[in-house]
């Protein structure tokens, strides 16, 4: 009887687009990055079903939905030909979690029957980050390269500052691009960063960064509320908006290719490098968490991919022998 009532409730929404339902669900998430990720994964699944309206989905027999979910995850699973080991467990888990959360939303809001992916078993993932990090010498070379051109024009100065913020403050791309002038307190030398998850973290601004930011502000003004915004926009002419995170990714890749061509460097490499260098400097986990905004020590450990033979307590203890 309950299933029949649920079915009727969904089927009665004849004009409700599935894309609108998905959008309503994603808007419940605080982070824009999370919204984008959920939206892409969920939309991708329903595209395979050729679903346009919520009503269409309600007419699909539940066992068929279960089969389609399994098929979707299977098609997105990459395996080693020789060993059958899953090569992208994080991606598969992410898609499964996104779908599971959305089905729970359908159950709660529209009375859908039950969650077809409720009993999904998470795939085992690496306990250490696979993001490529930079050595101390490499990060110095990369920053020096960008610094050498930063006074040529506004774009060069802006891009250098972006690198400085991502490494010096261990910021993510979204956190960097969304920084506003009113987030900065020049007198107290602090910056209030809107971070992943929707909360703020107050960070100290080293005097070297304060001076750079002040020079940038004096040279190019602060008419735009965002610190890092487009210098030109040939398509829409709109400049009063945050710099695109994709632009940051491409900019980092371009500069990194010139300085460290043998490594695949991404914006997240700066954050991971910050953590590893801080650990090398004997910083404690709490001080690192205060900088990165991570909720647990385990996440800091996840990003610590330093050589376990070189960084090993055996070396110091063995001096007693």
């Amino acid at each position: 009887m309950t299933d029949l009532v649920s079915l009727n409730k969904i089927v009665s929404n004849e004009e409700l687009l599935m894309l609108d339902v998905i959008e309503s669900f994603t808007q419940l998430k605080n982070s824009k990055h999370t919204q984008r990720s959920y939206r892409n994964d969920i939309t991708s699944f329903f595209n395979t079903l050729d679903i346009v309206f919520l009503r269409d989905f309600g007419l699909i027999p539940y066992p068929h939905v279960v089969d389609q979910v399994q098929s979707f995850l299977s098609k997105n699973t990459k395996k080693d030909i020789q060993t059958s080991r899953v090569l992208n467990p994080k991606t598969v888990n992410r898609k499964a979690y996104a779908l599971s959360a959305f089905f729970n939303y359908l159950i709660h809001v529209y009375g859908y029957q039950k969650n077809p992916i409720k009993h999904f078993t998470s795939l085992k993932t690496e306990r250490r980050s696979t993001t490529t990090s930079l050595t101390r010498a490499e990060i110095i070379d990369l920053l020096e390269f960008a610094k050498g051109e930063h006074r040529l024009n506004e774009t060069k100065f802006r891009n250098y500052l972006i690198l400085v913020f991502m490494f010096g403050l261990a910021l993510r791309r979204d956190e960097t691009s969304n920084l506003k002038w009113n987030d900065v307190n020049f007198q107290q030398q602090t910056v209030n960063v809107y971070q992943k998850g929707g909360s703020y973290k107050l960070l100290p601004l080293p005097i070297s960064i304060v001076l750079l930011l002040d020079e940038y502000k004096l040279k190019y003004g602060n008419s735009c509320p965002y610190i890092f915004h487009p210098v030109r926009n040939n398509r829409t002419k709109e400049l009063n908006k945050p710099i695109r995170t994709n632009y940051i990714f491409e900019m980092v890749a371009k500069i990194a290719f010139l300085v460290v061509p043998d490594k695949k460097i991404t914006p997240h490499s700066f954050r991971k490098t910050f953590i590893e260098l801080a650990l090398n400097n004997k910083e404690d986990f709490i001080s690192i968490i205060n900088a990165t905004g991570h909720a647990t020590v385990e996440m800091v450990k996840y990003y610590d991919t330093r050589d376990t033979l070189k960084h090993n307590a055996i070396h110091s203890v063995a001096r007693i022998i």
Side-chain angles (χ1 to χ4, degrees):
M1 182 66 179
T2 304
D3 288 351
L4 183 59
V5 172
S6 302
L7 180 61
N8 288 338
K9 187 175 180 181
I10 288 182
V11 172
S12 65
N13 287 279
E14 296 184 9
E15 302 300 323
L16 186 56
L17 292 171
M18 180 57 80
L19 286 178
D20 289 338
V21 178
I22 295 172
E23 190 61 28
S24 297
F25 165 72
T26 58
Q27 290 305 311
L28 296 175
K29 307 301 175 182
N30 292 321
S31 165
K32 289 185 178 180
H33 174 79
T34 302
Q35 290 176 5
R36 184 168 58 248
S37 178
Y38 272 63
R39 186 183 299 112
N40 290 341
D41 288 337
I42 297 167
T43 302
S44 178
F45 169 70
F46 283 99
N47 284 342
T48 64
L49 297 180
D50 198 25
I51 295 296
V52 177
F53 297 99
L54 176 63
R55 179 180 183 275
D56 298 334
F57 177 65
L59 294 174
I60 300 177
Y62 180 76
H64 183 63
V65 174
V66 174
D67 291 341
Q68 288 300 310
V69 169
Q70 293 176 345
S71 175
F72 174 75
L73 294 178
S74 178
K75 288 178 181 177
N76 283 278
T77 302
K78 299 178 182 178
K79 293 186 178 182
D80 184 282
I81 298 176
Q82 302 297 328
T83 64
S84 294
R85 180 174 66 89
V86 177
L87 302 176
N88 61 336
K90 285 185 182 178
T91 299
V92 178
N93 288 344
R94 189 198 70 230
K95 291 180 183 296
Y97 297 152
L99 286 176
S100 181
F102 182 66
F103 284 125
N104 284 335
Y105 174 78
L106 292 182
I107 292 170
H108 178 72
V109 178
Y110 296 101
Y112 189 62
Q113 307 173 45
K114 47 190 174 181
N115 194 331
I117 197 173
K118 182 179 180 180
H119 300 296
F120 171 76
T121 302
S122 301
L123 300 176
K124 291 184 178 180
T125 59
E126 292 288 339
R127 294 186 178 181
R128 305 177 83 191
S129 171
T130 57
T131 299
T132 304
S133 56
L134 295 147
T135 65
R136 182 184 181 86
E138 288 170 341
I139 191 66
I140 290 174
D141 287 345
L142 196 148
L143 291 175
E144 283 295 320
F145 176 86
K147 183 180 181 180
E149 300 182 328
H150 83 284
R151 289 195 173 94
L152 294 179
N153 54 52
E154 183 177 356
T155 299
K156 298 284 188 181
F157 204 146
R158 180 202 61 196
N159 290 352
Y160 172 54
L161 264 181
I162 289 174
L163 298 181
V164 167
F165 268 76
M166 285 197 300
F167 170 66
L169 304 183
L171 299 186
R172 302 176 177 90
R173 273 189 294 168
D174 282 345
E175 294 171 344
T176 305
S177 67
N178 287 313
L179 281 175
K180 297 180 178 179
W181 286 109
N182 59 16
D183 292 326
V184 178
N185 188 318
F186 283 92
Q187 186 175 1
Q188 295 183 10
Q189 296 183 17
T190 60
V191 59
N192 206 19
V193 180
Y194 185 73
Q195 63 180 348
K196 182 180 179 181
S199 61
Y200 279 90
K201 58 181 176 183
L202 186 64
L203 299 176
L205 269 182
I207 187 61
S208 57
I209 298 181
V210 171
L211 293 175
L212 273 173
L213 198 57
D214 192 45
E215 180 185 349
Y216 181 72
K217 185 179 180 182
L218 288 172
K219 264 191 172 183
Y220 303 109
N222 61 342
S223 57
C224 176
Y226 293 96
I227 298 175
F228 305 119
H229 59 88
V231 172
R232 63 182 61 84
N233 187 337
N234 296 327
R235 188 168 63 87
T236 66
K237 310 301 180 184
E238 174 60 44
L239 302 180
N240 289 328
K241 62 180 183 178
I243 194 79
R244 292 184 303 110
T245 54
N246 281 346
Y247 175 88
I248 295 178
F249 188 95
E250 293 164 4
M251 180 267 289
V252 167
K254 183 177 179 180
I255 294 176
F257 179 76
L258 296 173
V259 182
V260 280
D262 57 326
K263 285 188 172 183
K264 185 180 180 180
I265 302 301
T266 67
H268 213 62
S269 296
F270 292 91
R271 185 172 166 85
K272 183 167 178 285
T273 300
F274 175 96
I275 292 172
E276 293 188 344
L277 292 185
L279 289 169
N280 284 343
N281 291 339
K282 310 300 181 184
E283 295 284 352
D284 60 79
F285 284 121
I286 299 303
S287 67
I288 295 175
I289 285 176
N290 288 340
T292 62
H294 284 127
T296 65
V297 169
E298 281 66 32
M299 282 306 299
V300 175
K301 293 178 179 178
Y302 171 75
Y303 284 107
D304 181 14
T305 57
R306 296 173 299 167
D307 189 332
T308 55
L309 292 178
K310 181 179 178 181
H311 299 276
N312 199 304
I314 290 176
H315 297 301
S316 60
V317 174
R319 292 170 190 158
I320 300 173
I321 302 173

